[in-house]
Amino acid sequence: TIKKETKYIENLIVILCTIVFYAIVDNDGVITTYEGIALLVMAILYILYNIVMSKVGNKLDSDEVSEIEAAEAAKKVTSL
């Protein structure tokens, strides 16, 4: 499942990138080398953000599974 905070952050990043891209293109209709590098850096940072969030999300998911398994094991012990 996608958490509300993640959707908020990613939507904010996409809106910010869209505004920057519009400002670059609206200036003269041509993307210069420096502007292209800036857009490339922003794309790389976004990809790295997604990789990090994926790893953090997987770790959190495994922690939640461990907690659920521990609770189920405790229920089995108390029901015996």
Side-chain angles (χ1 to χ4, degrees):
T1 62
I2 299 175
K3 298 186 187 261
K4 185 177 181 180
E5 297 84 18
T6 303
K7 289 171 66 174
Y8 176 75
I9 291 171
E10 289 186 3
N11 287 341
L12 186 63
I13 290 171
V14 169
I15 290 170
L16 178 68
C17 289
T18 302
I19 292 170
V20 169
F21 180 74
Y22 178 76
I24 289 172
V25 174
D26 190 47
N27 189 21
D28 56 1
V30 177
I31 298 176
T32 65
T33 303
Y34 296 113
E35 294 167 341
I37 291 171
L39 291 172
L40 182 63
V41 167
M42 287 175 26
I44 291 170
L45 289 175
Y46 183 69
I47 291 169
L48 291 175
Y49 165 79
N50 280 319
I51 291 171
V52 169
M53 292 307 294
S54 172
K55 289 183 179 181
V56 169
N58 288 340
K59 182 179 179 187
L60 292 177
D61 289 343
S62 65
D63 290 345
E64 290 173 2
V65 169
S66 299
E67 290 174 7
I68 292 170
E69 289 173 349
E72 289 175 356
K75 285 181 185 178
K76 287 181 183 178
V77 169
T78 56
S79 65
L80 296 177

